[in-house]
Amino acid sequence: MSHVTKTRQGFQVRLEPEETALLRALMEQLLALLGDAPGPDDELASMGIAENAVKPDDPVLARLFPDAYRDDGEAAGEFRRYTEIGLRDGKREAARAVLGALGETDTDTVLDEKRMQEWLRALNDVRLALGTRLDITEDWYEEAGALDPRDPRAPMFAAYDWLTMLQDGLVHALEEPPLEEPPLEEPPPE
């Protein structure tokens, strides 16, 4: 079971091997969903401007990149044109930070405050994606509790629930004082 502790060195995240594998797979899927960054030859994109920025048809991408102006399509499109590339880049960077911290086989990692914030953003993005695919509402716990374990959605509900617990652990660790570590033993006097 995942565990997050604040120490003087940073935030220690301890995951089971299965949790590490799940988190890696989810971050890789998020990166695939976000797509590749524009190439260096795209002049507008190099200035952070999306040439054809439209609300995505995919409900998950529409949730990750919602319209800024719901009642004004033109203003929403213009806002999206100037912000979407930067938002996508930030989401990619956060997902890559999680992948970079996981290592191949290690299940323990120590995060500094910046990495902790990246983890929180990436976990939130994955939870939004899963929640949209599962059509999770405020009453989702009732549905998940009554879900037949043979239901093909059961693993996705379990992953969503686990991500929620991990994210909650990270948030609580941010608020806590560091654990006191035992003092180093001093050598005996000569």
Side-chain angles (χ1 to χ4, degrees), residues 74-97:
E74 188 175 329
E78 197 65 12
F79 184 82
R80 181 178 300 281
R81 183 172 184 233
Y82 290 101
T83 60
E84 187 168 320
I85 289 176
L87 291 172
R88 277 185 190 262
D89 288 347
K91 291 177 185 304
R92 282 188 206 98
E93 183 180 321
R96 286 184 186 118

Side-chain angles (χ1 to χ4, degrees), residues 1 3 8 28 32 34 37 50 67 95 110 140 148-149 159 177 181-182 186:
M1 183 67 128
H3 184 72
R8 289 185 184 172
E28 289 170 351
L34 294 170
D67 279 337
V110 177
W140 89 271
D148 183 332
E181 297 171 13
E186 294 187 29

Side-chain angles (χ1 to χ4, degrees), residues 60-137:
V60 172
L61 288 173
R63 181 70 176 101
L64 291 174
F65 303 101
D67 279 337
Y69 303 97
R70 293 183 187 177
D71 298 331
D72 187 344
E74 188 175 329
E78 197 65 12
F79 184 82
R80 181 178 300 281
R81 183 172 184 233
Y82 290 101
T83 60
E84 187 168 320
I85 289 176
L87 291 172
R88 277 185 190 262
D89 288 347
K91 291 177 185 304
R92 282 188 206 98
E93 183 180 321
R96 286 184 186 118
V98 173
L99 287 172
L102 288 176
E104 287 302 314
T105 56
D106 287 342
T107 56
D108 289 358
T109 189
V110 177
L111 308 172
D112 61 20
E113 184 115 10
K114 179 183 181 226
R115 291 289 181 231
M116 178 71 122
Q117 294 297 333
E118 289 172 326
W119 273 55
L120 285 169
R121 286 193 305 274
L123 290 175
N124 189 60
D125 287 341
V126 171
R127 286 185 65 247
L128 283 173
L130 275 174
T132 302
R133 289 279 190 250
L134 292 169
D135 197 25
I136 290 180
T137 64

